[in-house]
Amino acid sequence: MRVSVQVEAFHLGAEAEGFAQANNSAGAIVTFTGIVRDAPQGGLVAMEIEHYPGMTLKALNEIAQTAMERWSLADALVIHRYGRLAPGEQIMMVATAARHRKDAFVAAEYLMDYLKSRAPFWKKEILNDGGAGWVAARDEDEDALTRW
Amino acid sequence: MEVLYFAWVRERIGLPRERVETRAITVADLVAELCSREDRYAAAFADLSAIRVALDQELSDFDAPLQGVREVAFFPPMTGG
């Protein structure tokens, strides 16, 4: 299991390949990648991601450890960036390795749901008209946790 | 104790962290104490339903006791992923 909180871009192909090679007896591997998309009204120049350094790694490790145990994963990977990101850049990725695909898919969804609402990151949209605004948490993201 | 602020809570209060000497029993008492200090705190804490709190880097709530706590953090609901 590996958790990384970083400013630097990551290479999706290299990360996925490395994870697959390291878990080539697992049977099933799922990866998910989050990308910076344009603001709803358009005109996004950058996404600034703030986090709580003392708490972030701890929270991500707890979330990943829970997924490892609950779905008997062979391995899990979480990479989450912070700082200033341009539209189209990769924000984060998760990868899960399990014996069967269902556990790998479900565990990846669990990781994503918890990353969204329980990992201390906040996103601010910087717009080309000089405006800026914090992305509000959505009720459906909080509701998504109740299914677990 | 150290009090930390993130995202728009940090922006409204105007600083990322500060050292606070307090005898507040609970988080809610601490918030009330801060709000009575200056308007910018009252503005930041106007709607507590929009704010989350962590005690020593674990999510907690406003009724929680502060005894033994070294670090309190206030922030909006998280938007990771």
Side-chain angles (χ1 to χ4, degrees):
Chain A
M1 185 183 106
R2 181 162 70 92
V3 168
S4 175
V5 180
Q6 61 189 54
V7 171
E8 306 77 38
F10 57 88
H11 192 294
L12 175 61
E15 294 290 351
E17 181 64 20
F19 188 81
Q21 290 291 338
N23 295 287
N24 60 6
S25 58
I29 288 182
V30 164
T31 69
F32 172 87
T33 312
I35 312 282
V36 179
R37 65 169 161 260
D38 203 352
Q41 68 275 33
L44 187 83
V45 173
M47 179 85 87
E48 284 180 2
I49 301 178
E50 179 174 338
H51 79 122
Y52 179 177
M55 180 174 168
T56 315
L57 265 182
K58 200 163 125 179
L60 292 179
N61 271 308
E62 281 172 15
I63 293 166
Q65 191 58 48
T66 302
M68 289 283 293
E69 290 165 16
R70 189 159 164 187
W71 287 281
S72 303
L73 300 181
D75 201 359
L77 168 67
V78 177
I79 300 174
H80 203 305
R81 296 176 66 195
Y82 64 95
R84 191 178 171 98
L85 278 66
E89 280 194 65
Q90 292 155 1
I91 303 178
M92 51 78 57
M93 73 171 286
V94 302
T96 55
R99 194 163 169 77
H100 299 289
R101 71 170 178 221
K102 193 173 176 194
D103 285 338
F105 271 117
V106 174
E109 279 204 82
Y110 171 90
L111 288 174
M112 287 310 306
D113 282 351
Y114 269 81
L115 278 173
K116 277 217 165 291
S117 303
R118 290 292 182 275
F121 291 97
W122 300 274
K123 296 192 187 108
K124 189 178 197 178
E125 292 174 335
I126 311 298
L127 304 175
N128 61 7
D129 63 1
W134 292 97
V135 175
R138 300 184 308 168
D139 288 342
E140 61 216 69
D141 289 338
E142 187 65 29
D143 293 346
L145 299 187
T146 60
R147 70 172 163 139
W148 305 108
Chain B
M1 64 181 65
E2 289 293 318
V3 182
L4 282 66
Y5 310 106
F6 293 96
W8 57 254
V9 180
R10 169 179 55 73
E11 290 180 340
R12 284 186 200 176
I13 290 171
L15 73 175
R17 65 189 300 150
E18 62 184 323
R19 188 155 189 86
V20 175
E21 302 300 332
T22 178
R23 291 186 178 177
I25 307 290
T26 66
V27 175
D29 294 337
L30 173 64
V31 170
E33 195 176 306
L34 291 169
C35 288
S36 69
R37 267 203 210 165
E38 280 181 67
D39 287 347
R40 57 197 171 106
Y41 292 95
F45 290 110
D47 177 10
L48 286 188
S49 72
I51 295 187
R52 302 288 177 268
V53 58
L55 301 181
D56 289 334
Q57 303 163 3
E58 293 279 351
L59 278 177
S60 187
D61 54 63
F62 288 89
D63 297 329
L66 289 175
Q67 192 176 14
V69 171
R70 284 163 301 165
E71 188 172 293
V72 180
F74 294 104
F75 42 77
M78 295 161 268
T79 52

